[in-house]
PDB file of all heavy atoms in Angstrom:
ATOM      1  N   ILE A   1     -25.952  -5.581  10.715  1.00  0.00           N
ATOM      2  CA  ILE A   1     -26.513  -4.486  11.547  1.00  0.00           C
ATOM      3  C   ILE A   1     -28.025  -4.637  11.683  1.00  0.00           C
ATOM      4  O   ILE A   1     -28.592  -4.551  12.800  1.00  0.00           O
ATOM      5  CB  ILE A   1     -26.082  -3.130  10.991  1.00  0.00           C
ATOM      6  CG1 ILE A   1     -24.617  -2.890  11.250  1.00  0.00           C
ATOM      7  CG2 ILE A   1     -26.967  -1.981  11.562  1.00  0.00           C
ATOM      8  CD1 ILE A   1     -24.046  -1.624  10.555  1.00  0.00           C
ATOM      9  N   ALA A   2     -28.664  -4.927  10.560  1.00  0.00           N
ATOM     10  CA  ALA A   2     -30.134  -5.100  10.619  1.00  0.00           C
ATOM     11  C   ALA A   2     -30.544  -6.371  11.350  1.00  0.00           C
ATOM     12  O   ALA A   2     -31.422  -6.310  12.170  1.00  0.00           O
ATOM     13  CB  ALA A   2     -30.684  -5.133   9.152  1.00  0.00           C
ATOM     14  N   ARG A   3     -29.873  -7.472  11.100  1.00  0.00           N
ATOM     15  CA  ARG A   3     -30.213  -8.789  11.686  1.00  0.00           C
ATOM     16  C   ARG A   3     -30.028  -8.773  13.213  1.00  0.00           C
ATOM     17  O   ARG A   3     -30.872  -9.325  13.944  1.00  0.00           O
ATOM     18  CB  ARG A   3     -29.399  -9.861  11.087  1.00  0.00           C
ATOM     19  CG  ARG A   3     -29.708 -11.232  11.623  1.00  0.00           C
ATOM     20  CD  ARG A   3     -28.967 -12.301  10.857  1.00  0.00           C
ATOM     21  NE  ARG A   3     -29.346 -13.610  11.319  1.00  0.00           N
ATOM     22  CZ  ARG A   3     -29.204 -14.713  10.647  1.00  0.00           C
ATOM     23  NH1 ARG A   3     -28.587 -14.710   9.451  1.00  0.00           N
ATOM     24  NH2 ARG A   3     -29.567 -15.869  11.135  1.00  0.00           N
ATOM     25  N   PHE A   4     -28.914  -8.140  13.677  1.00  0.00           N
ATOM     26  CA  PHE A   4     -28.604  -8.263  15.119  1.00  0.00           C
ATOM     27  C   PHE A   4     -28.841  -6.948  15.874  1.00  0.00           C
ATOM     28  O   PHE A   4     -28.432  -6.813  17.010  1.00  0.00           O
ATOM     29  CB  PHE A   4     -27.165  -8.711  15.257  1.00  0.00           C
ATOM     30  CG  PHE A   4     -26.885 -10.057  14.689  1.00  0.00           C
ATOM     31  CD1 PHE A   4     -26.354 -10.192  13.422  1.00  0.00           C
ATOM     32  CD2 PHE A   4     -27.207 -11.188  15.406  1.00  0.00           C
ATOM     33  CE1 PHE A   4     -26.074 -11.448  12.884  1.00  0.00           C
ATOM     34  CE2 PHE A   4     -27.000 -12.430  14.858  1.00  0.00           C
ATOM     35  CZ  PHE A   4     -26.395 -12.592  13.625  1.00  0.00           C
ATOM     36  N   SER A   5     -29.469  -5.984  15.225  1.00  0.00           N
ATOM     37  CA  SER A   5     -29.735  -4.649  15.882  1.00  0.00           C
ATOM     38  C   SER A   5     -28.446  -4.061  16.419  1.00  0.00           C
ATOM     39  O   SER A   5     -28.404  -3.565  17.549  1.00  0.00           O
ATOM     40  CB  SER A   5     -30.789  -4.774  16.966  1.00  0.00           C
ATOM     41  OG  SER A   5     -32.006  -5.278  16.462  1.00  0.00           O
ATOM     42  N   LEU A   6     -27.422  -4.100  15.609  1.00  0.00           N
ATOM     43  CA  LEU A   6     -26.153  -3.478  16.018  1.00  0.00           C
ATOM     44  C   LEU A   6     -26.177  -1.953  16.018  1.00  0.00           C
ATOM     45  O   LEU A   6     -26.910  -1.347  15.241  1.00  0.00           O
ATOM     46  CB  LEU A   6     -25.018  -3.956  15.080  1.00  0.00           C
ATOM     47  CG  LEU A   6     -24.705  -5.410  15.016  1.00  0.00           C
ATOM     48  CD1 LEU A   6     -23.601  -5.673  14.021  1.00  0.00           C
ATOM     49  CD2 LEU A   6     -24.331  -5.942  16.438  1.00  0.00           C
ATOM     50  N   GLN A   7     -25.361  -1.415  16.868  1.00  0.00           N
ATOM     51  CA  GLN A   7     -25.174   0.038  16.868  1.00  0.00           C
ATOM     52  C   GLN A   7     -24.059   0.432  15.854  1.00  0.00           C
ATOM     53  O   GLN A   7     -24.102   1.471  15.266  1.00  0.00           O
ATOM     54  CB  GLN A   7     -24.744   0.501  18.229  1.00  0.00           C
ATOM     55  CG  GLN A   7     -25.848   0.303  19.296  1.00  0.00           C
ATOM     56  CD  GLN A   7     -25.335   0.446  20.710  1.00  0.00           C
ATOM     57  OE1 GLN A   7     -24.141   0.339  20.953  1.00  0.00           O
ATOM     58  NE2 GLN A   7     -26.264   0.673  21.617  1.00  0.00           N
ATOM     59  N   ASP A   8     -23.128  -0.517  15.624  1.00  0.00           N
ATOM     60  CA  ASP A   8     -22.006  -0.224  14.718  1.00  0.00           C
ATOM     61  C   ASP A   8     -21.217  -1.485  14.472  1.00  0.00           C
ATOM     62  O   ASP A   8     -21.330  -2.430  15.215  1.00  0.00           O
ATOM     63  CB  ASP A   8     -21.105   0.848  15.379  1.00  0.00           C
ATOM     64  CG  ASP A   8     -20.195   1.563  14.369  1.00  0.00           C
ATOM     65  OD1 ASP A   8     -20.317   1.348  13.146  1.00  0.00           O
ATOM     66  OD2 ASP A   8     -19.384   2.404  14.835  1.00  0.00           O
ATOM     67  N   ALA A   9     -20.422  -1.429  13.395  1.00  0.00           N
ATOM     68  CA  ALA A   9     -19.532  -2.577  13.090  1.00  0.00           C
ATOM     69  C   ALA A   9     -18.421  -2.049  12.181  1.00  0.00           C
ATOM     70  O   ALA A   9     -18.586  -1.048  11.459  1.00  0.00           O
ATOM     71  CB  ALA A   9     -20.295  -3.690  12.378  1.00  0.00           C
ATOM     72  N   ILE A  10     -17.290  -2.747  12.289  1.00  0.00           N
ATOM     73  CA  ILE A  10     -16.121  -2.360  11.494  1.00  0.00           C
ATOM     74  C   ILE A  10     -15.400  -3.647  10.999  1.00  0.00           C
ATOM     75  O   ILE A  10     -15.372  -4.639  11.739  1.00  0.00           O
ATOM     76  CB  ILE A  10     -15.125  -1.499  12.293  1.00  0.00           C
ATOM     77  CG1 ILE A  10     -13.943  -1.069  11.487  1.00  0.00           C
ATOM     78  CG2 ILE A  10     -14.714  -2.205  13.559  1.00  0.00           C
ATOM     79  CD1 ILE A  10     -12.977  -0.131  12.206  1.00  0.00           C
ATOM     80  N   VAL A  11     -14.916  -3.579   9.791  1.00  0.00           N
ATOM     81  CA  VAL A  11     -14.065  -4.645   9.226  1.00  0.00           C
ATOM     82  C   VAL A  11     -12.812  -4.003   8.640  1.00  0.00           C
ATOM     83  O   VAL A  11     -12.954  -3.058   7.854  1.00  0.00           O
ATOM     84  CB  VAL A  11     -14.774  -5.471   8.153  1.00  0.00           C
ATOM     85  CG1 VAL A  11     -13.822  -6.399   7.469  1.00  0.00           C
ATOM     86  CG2 VAL A  11     -15.982  -6.242   8.749  1.00  0.00           C
ATOM     87  N   VAL A  12     -11.654  -4.486   9.078  1.00  0.00           N
ATOM     88  CA  VAL A  12     -10.400  -4.093   8.483  1.00  0.00           C
ATOM     89  C   VAL A  12      -9.766  -5.355   7.960  1.00  0.00           C
ATOM     90  O   VAL A  12      -9.660  -6.336   8.697  1.00  0.00           O
ATOM     91  CB  VAL A  12      -9.453  -3.385   9.511  1.00  0.00           C
ATOM     92  CG1 VAL A  12      -8.093  -3.096   8.851  1.00  0.00           C
ATOM     93  CG2 VAL A  12     -10.119  -2.139  10.035  1.00  0.00           C
ATOM     94  N   HIS A  13      -9.463  -5.402   6.678  1.00  0.00           N
ATOM     95  CA  HIS A  13      -8.941  -6.630   6.051  1.00  0.00           C
ATOM     96  C   HIS A  13      -7.693  -6.316   5.255  1.00  0.00           C
ATOM     97  O   HIS A  13      -7.671  -5.361   4.478  1.00  0.00           O
ATOM     98  CB  HIS A  13     -10.002  -7.218   5.142  1.00  0.00           C
ATOM     99  CG  HIS A  13      -9.872  -8.708   5.014  1.00  0.00           C
ATOM    100  ND1 HIS A  13      -8.767  -9.337   4.510  1.00  0.00           N
ATOM    101  CD2 HIS A  13     -10.787  -9.665   5.384  1.00  0.00           C
ATOM    102  CE1 HIS A  13      -9.002 -10.646   4.525  1.00  0.00           C
ATOM    103  NE2 HIS A  13     -10.197 -10.886   5.066  1.00  0.00           N
ATOM    104  N   ARG A  14      -6.663  -7.078   5.459  1.00  0.00           N
ATOM    105  CA  ARG A  14      -5.414  -6.957   4.709  1.00  0.00           C
ATOM    106  C   ARG A  14      -5.589  -7.507   3.302  1.00  0.00           C
ATOM    107  O   ARG A  14      -6.324  -8.428   3.067  1.00  0.00           O
ATOM    108  CB  ARG A  14      -4.275  -7.701   5.392  1.00  0.00           C
ATOM    109  CG  ARG A  14      -3.789  -7.186   6.691  1.00  0.00           C
ATOM    110  CD  ARG A  14      -2.804  -6.025   6.572  1.00  0.00           C
ATOM    111  NE  ARG A  14      -1.625  -6.364   5.800  1.00  0.00           N
ATOM    112  CZ  ARG A  14      -0.538  -6.991   6.263  1.00  0.00           C
ATOM    113  NH1 ARG A  14      -0.486  -7.401   7.514  1.00  0.00           N
ATOM    114  NH2 ARG A  14       0.481  -7.198   5.429  1.00  0.00           N
ATOM    115  N   THR A  15      -4.823  -6.957   2.375  1.00  0.00           N
ATOM    116  CA  THR A  15      -4.659  -7.519   1.058  1.00  0.00           C
ATOM    117  C   THR A  15      -3.150  -7.490   0.789  1.00  0.00           C
ATOM    118  O   THR A  15      -2.386  -6.950   1.580  1.00  0.00           O
ATOM    119  CB  THR A  15      -5.410  -6.710  -0.008  1.00  0.00           C
ATOM    120  OG1 THR A  15      -4.877  -5.344  -0.002  1.00  0.00           O
ATOM    121  CG2 THR A  15      -6.873  -6.721   0.218  1.00  0.00           C
ATOM    122  N   GLY A  16      -2.746  -8.141  -0.283  1.00  0.00           N
ATOM    123  CA  GLY A  16      -1.325  -8.211  -0.588  1.00  0.00           C
ATOM    124  C   GLY A  16      -0.672  -9.364   0.129  1.00  0.00           C
ATOM    125  O   GLY A  16      -1.292 -10.357   0.419  1.00  0.00           O
ATOM    126  N   ARG A  17       0.620  -9.252   0.371  1.00  0.00           N
ATOM    127  CA  ARG A  17       1.434 -10.313   0.983  1.00  0.00           C
ATOM    128  C   ARG A  17       1.462 -10.144   2.513  1.00  0.00           C
ATOM    129  O   ARG A  17       1.825  -9.117   3.000  1.00  0.00           O
ATOM    130  CB  ARG A  17       2.808 -10.313   0.372  1.00  0.00           C
ATOM    131  CG  ARG A  17       2.732 -10.603  -1.141  1.00  0.00           C
ATOM    132  CD  ARG A  17       4.067 -10.446  -1.842  1.00  0.00           C
ATOM    133  NE  ARG A  17       5.041 -11.465  -1.509  1.00  0.00           N
ATOM    134  CZ  ARG A  17       5.113 -12.679  -2.052  1.00  0.00           C
ATOM    135  NH1 ARG A  17       4.272 -13.023  -3.000  1.00  0.00           N
ATOM    136  NH2 ARG A  17       6.047 -13.517  -1.684  1.00  0.00           N
ATOM    137  N   ILE A  18       1.152 -11.273   3.178  1.00  0.00           N
ATOM    138  CA  ILE A  18       1.016 -11.260   4.621  1.00  0.00           C
ATOM    139  C   ILE A  18       1.862 -12.415   5.195  1.00  0.00           C
ATOM    140  O   ILE A  18       1.747 -13.547   4.769  1.00  0.00           O
ATOM    141  CB  ILE A  18      -0.458 -11.449   5.059  1.00  0.00           C
ATOM    142  CG1 ILE A  18      -1.310 -10.321   4.368  1.00  0.00           C
ATOM    143  CG2 ILE A  18      -0.610 -11.376   6.577  1.00  0.00           C
ATOM    144  CD1 ILE A  18      -2.796 -10.626   4.332  1.00  0.00           C
ATOM    145  N   ALA A  19       2.708 -12.087   6.155  1.00  0.00           N
ATOM    146  CA  ALA A  19       3.591 -13.094   6.750  1.00  0.00           C
ATOM    147  C   ALA A  19       2.862 -13.816   7.873  1.00  0.00           C
ATOM    148  O   ALA A  19       1.955 -13.259   8.503  1.00  0.00           O
ATOM    149  CB  ALA A  19       4.840 -12.423   7.294  1.00  0.00           C
ATOM    150  N   PRO A  20       3.237 -15.072   8.129  1.00  0.00           N
ATOM    151  CA  PRO A  20       2.687 -15.785   9.267  1.00  0.00           C
ATOM    152  C   PRO A  20       2.827 -14.988  10.540  1.00  0.00           C
ATOM    153  O   PRO A  20       3.838 -14.386  10.801  1.00  0.00           O
ATOM    154  CB  PRO A  20       3.477 -17.088   9.339  1.00  0.00           C
ATOM    155  CG  PRO A  20       3.874 -17.319   7.901  1.00  0.00           C
ATOM    156  CD  PRO A  20       4.180 -15.939   7.375  1.00  0.00           C
ATOM    157  N   GLY A  21       1.768 -15.014  11.355  1.00  0.00           N
ATOM    158  CA  GLY A  21       1.720 -14.240  12.611  1.00  0.00           C
ATOM    159  C   GLY A  21       1.169 -12.846  12.459  1.00  0.00           C
ATOM    160  O   GLY A  21       0.810 -12.265  13.465  1.00  0.00           O
ATOM    161  N   GLU A  22       1.059 -12.347  11.238  1.00  0.00           N
ATOM    162  CA  GLU A  22       0.488 -10.998  11.054  1.00  0.00           C
ATOM    163  C   GLU A  22      -1.034 -11.093  11.019  1.00  0.00           C
ATOM    164  O   GLU A  22      -1.596 -12.076  10.584  1.00  0.00           O
ATOM    165  CB  GLU A  22       0.992 -10.344   9.780  1.00  0.00           C
ATOM    166  CG  GLU A  22       2.473  -9.989   9.790  1.00  0.00           C
ATOM    167  CD  GLU A  22       2.914  -9.253   8.511  1.00  0.00           C
ATOM    168  OE1 GLU A  22       2.232  -9.353   7.460  1.00  0.00           O
ATOM    169  OE2 GLU A  22       3.965  -8.600   8.610  1.00  0.00           O
ATOM    170  N   ALA A  23      -1.677 -10.013  11.468  1.00  0.00           N
ATOM    171  CA  ALA A  23      -3.130  -9.938  11.450  1.00  0.00           C
ATOM    172  C   ALA A  23      -3.616  -9.768   9.990  1.00  0.00           C
ATOM    173  O   ALA A  23      -3.034  -9.005   9.214  1.00  0.00           O
ATOM    174  CB  ALA A  23      -3.624  -8.746  12.273  1.00  0.00           C
ATOM    175  N   ILE A  24      -4.628 -10.582   9.632  1.00  0.00           N
ATOM    176  CA  ILE A  24      -5.233 -10.526   8.327  1.00  0.00           C
ATOM    177  C   ILE A  24      -6.530  -9.717   8.384  1.00  0.00           C
ATOM    178  O   ILE A  24      -6.800  -8.903   7.522  1.00  0.00           O
ATOM    179  CB  ILE A  24      -5.633 -11.955   7.801  1.00  0.00           C
ATOM    180  CG1 ILE A  24      -4.446 -12.843   7.740  1.00  0.00           C
ATOM    181  CG2 ILE A  24      -6.366 -11.863   6.482  1.00  0.00           C
ATOM    182  CD1 ILE A  24      -4.805 -14.301   7.485  1.00  0.00           C
ATOM    183  N   VAL A  25      -7.326 -10.006   9.429  1.00  0.00           N
ATOM    184  CA  VAL A  25      -8.685  -9.396   9.499  1.00  0.00           C
ATOM    185  C   VAL A  25      -8.960  -8.971  10.956  1.00  0.00           C
ATOM    186  O   VAL A  25      -8.540  -9.651  11.889  1.00  0.00           O
ATOM    187  CB  VAL A  25      -9.741 -10.332   8.986  1.00  0.00           C
ATOM    188  CG1 VAL A  25      -9.813 -11.628   9.782  1.00  0.00           C
ATOM    189  CG2 VAL A  25     -11.094  -9.685   8.893  1.00  0.00           C
ATOM    190  N   PHE A  26      -9.690  -7.872  11.050  1.00  0.00           N
ATOM    191  CA  PHE A  26     -10.184  -7.397  12.365  1.00  0.00           C
ATOM    192  C   PHE A  26     -11.635  -7.080  12.146  1.00  0.00           C
ATOM    193  O   PHE A  26     -12.010  -6.383  11.206  1.00  0.00           O
ATOM    194  CB  PHE A  26      -9.411  -6.167  12.769  1.00  0.00           C
ATOM    195  CG  PHE A  26     -10.006  -5.510  14.031  1.00  0.00           C
ATOM    196  CD1 PHE A  26      -9.707  -6.000  15.309  1.00  0.00           C
ATOM    197  CD2 PHE A  26     -10.888  -4.439  13.959  1.00  0.00           C
ATOM    198  CE1 PHE A  26     -10.229  -5.461  16.441  1.00  0.00           C
ATOM    199  CE2 PHE A  26     -11.395  -3.872  15.084  1.00  0.00           C
ATOM    200  CZ  PHE A  26     -11.106  -4.368  16.309  1.00  0.00           C
ATOM    201  N   VAL A  27     -12.471  -7.622  12.981  1.00  0.00           N
ATOM    202  CA  VAL A  27     -13.924  -7.361  12.972  1.00  0.00           C
ATOM    203  C   VAL A  27     -14.339  -6.955  14.364  1.00  0.00           C
ATOM    204  O   VAL A  27     -13.901  -7.581  15.349  1.00  0.00           O
ATOM    205  CB  VAL A  27     -14.763  -8.629  12.569  1.00  0.00           C
ATOM    206  CG1 VAL A  27     -16.242  -8.367  12.685  1.00  0.00           C
ATOM    207  CG2 VAL A  27     -14.427  -9.054  11.149  1.00  0.00           C
ATOM    208  N   ALA A  28     -15.114  -5.868  14.495  1.00  0.00           N
ATOM    209  CA  ALA A  28     -15.659  -5.491  15.788  1.00  0.00           C
ATOM    210  C   ALA A  28     -17.146  -5.093  15.586  1.00  0.00           C
ATOM    211  O   ALA A  28     -17.519  -4.532  14.550  1.00  0.00           O
ATOM    212  CB  ALA A  28     -14.890  -4.371  16.399  1.00  0.00           C
ATOM    213  N   THR A  29     -17.943  -5.488  16.586  1.00  0.00           N
ATOM    214  CA  THR A  29     -19.378  -5.148  16.521  1.00  0.00           C
ATOM    215  C   THR A  29     -19.763  -4.513  17.852  1.00  0.00           C
ATOM    216  O   THR A  29     -19.257  -4.910  18.943  1.00  0.00           O
ATOM    217  CB  THR A  29     -20.207  -6.374  16.317  1.00  0.00           C
ATOM    218  OG1 THR A  29     -19.898  -7.376  17.336  1.00  0.00           O
ATOM    219  CG2 THR A  29     -19.941  -7.012  14.903  1.00  0.00           C
ATOM    220  N   ALA A  30     -20.639  -3.566  17.845  1.00  0.00           N
ATOM    221  CA  ALA A  30     -21.144  -2.865  19.022  1.00  0.00           C
ATOM    222  C   ALA A  30     -22.644  -3.034  19.063  1.00  0.00           C
ATOM    223  O   ALA A  30     -23.361  -2.849  18.045  1.00  0.00           O
ATOM    224  CB  ALA A  30     -20.754  -1.382  18.969  1.00  0.00           C
ATOM    225  N   ALA A  31     -23.172  -3.393  20.273  1.00  0.00           N
ATOM    226  CA  ALA A  31     -24.599  -3.590  20.444  1.00  0.00           C
ATOM    227  C   ALA A  31     -24.960  -3.229  21.861  1.00  0.00           C
ATOM    228  O   ALA A  31     -24.091  -3.041  22.740  1.00  0.00           O
ATOM    229  CB  ALA A  31     -24.971  -5.020  20.164  1.00  0.00           C
ATOM    230  N   ALA A  32     -26.264  -3.129  22.090  1.00  0.00           N
ATOM    231  CA  ALA A  32     -26.756  -2.814  23.449  1.00  0.00           C
ATOM    232  C   ALA A  32     -26.478  -4.012  24.403  1.00  0.00           C
ATOM    233  O   ALA A  32     -26.260  -3.792  25.574  1.00  0.00           O
ATOM    234  CB  ALA A  32     -28.247  -2.527  23.450  1.00  0.00           C
ATOM    235  N   HIS A  33     -26.444  -5.214  23.887  1.00  0.00           N
ATOM    236  CA  HIS A  33     -26.304  -6.391  24.673  1.00  0.00           C
ATOM    237  C   HIS A  33     -25.252  -7.364  24.096  1.00  0.00           C
ATOM    238  O   HIS A  33     -25.043  -7.381  22.890  1.00  0.00           O
ATOM    239  CB  HIS A  33     -27.608  -7.141  24.860  1.00  0.00           C
ATOM    240  CG  HIS A  33     -28.682  -6.262  25.403  1.00  0.00           C
ATOM    241  ND1 HIS A  33     -28.738  -5.905  26.759  1.00  0.00           N
ATOM    242  CD2 HIS A  33     -29.699  -5.575  24.812  1.00  0.00           C
ATOM    243  CE1 HIS A  33     -29.739  -5.082  26.937  1.00  0.00           C
ATOM    244  NE2 HIS A  33     -30.355  -4.840  25.787  1.00  0.00           N
ATOM    245  N   ARG A  34     -24.599  -8.160  24.939  1.00  0.00           N
ATOM    246  CA  ARG A  34     -23.508  -9.021  24.521  1.00  0.00           C
ATOM    247  C   ARG A  34     -23.871 -10.034  23.491  1.00  0.00           C
ATOM    248  O   ARG A  34     -23.103 -10.318  22.573  1.00  0.00           O
ATOM    249  CB  ARG A  34     -22.856  -9.670  25.778  1.00  0.00           C
ATOM    250  CG  ARG A  34     -23.555 -10.848  26.287  1.00  0.00           C
ATOM    251  CD  ARG A  34     -22.917 -11.500  27.468  1.00  0.00           C
ATOM    252  NE  ARG A  34     -23.914 -12.158  28.261  1.00  0.00           N
ATOM    253  CZ  ARG A  34     -24.440 -13.326  27.954  1.00  0.00           C
ATOM    254  NH1 ARG A  34     -23.967 -13.995  26.977  1.00  0.00           N
ATOM    255  NH2 ARG A  34     -25.359 -13.861  28.705  1.00  0.00           N
ATOM    256  N   ARG A  35     -25.014 -10.709  23.640  1.00  0.00           N
ATOM    257  CA  ARG A  35     -25.337 -11.783  22.691  1.00  0.00           C
ATOM    258  C   ARG A  35     -25.374 -11.295  21.259  1.00  0.00           C
ATOM    259  O   ARG A  35     -24.858 -11.933  20.367  1.00  0.00           O
ATOM    260  CB  ARG A  35     -26.699 -12.457  23.068  1.00  0.00           C
ATOM    261  CG  ARG A  35     -27.174 -13.573  22.170  1.00  0.00           C
ATOM    262  CD  ARG A  35     -26.363 -14.870  22.322  1.00  0.00           C
ATOM    263  NE  ARG A  35     -26.344 -15.272  23.693  1.00  0.00           N
ATOM    264  CZ  ARG A  35     -25.264 -15.826  24.290  1.00  0.00           C
ATOM    265  NH1 ARG A  35     -24.166 -16.064  23.608  1.00  0.00           N
ATOM    266  NH2 ARG A  35     -25.295 -16.174  25.577  1.00  0.00           N
TER     267      ARG A  35
END
């Protein structure tokens, strides 16, 4: 957030047993500009 001047960010990460094809991690970042 500090480095890229983000407005917000989220991380959702699975733990435990995960089958192939299932989502492990989700990351999203929000900023004023795309870069």
Side-chain angles (χ1 to χ4, degrees):
I1 287 171
R3 180 174 186 161
F4 298 98
S5 300
L6 296 179
Q7 297 167 337
D8 200 3
I10 182 176
V11 171
V12 177
H13 209 298
R14 291 277 304 277
T15 60
R17 297 173 70 83
I18 304 160
E22 290 184 342
I24 302 169
V25 61
F26 173 82
V27 174
T29 56
H33 303 284
R34 79 179 153 81
R35 180 73 52 218

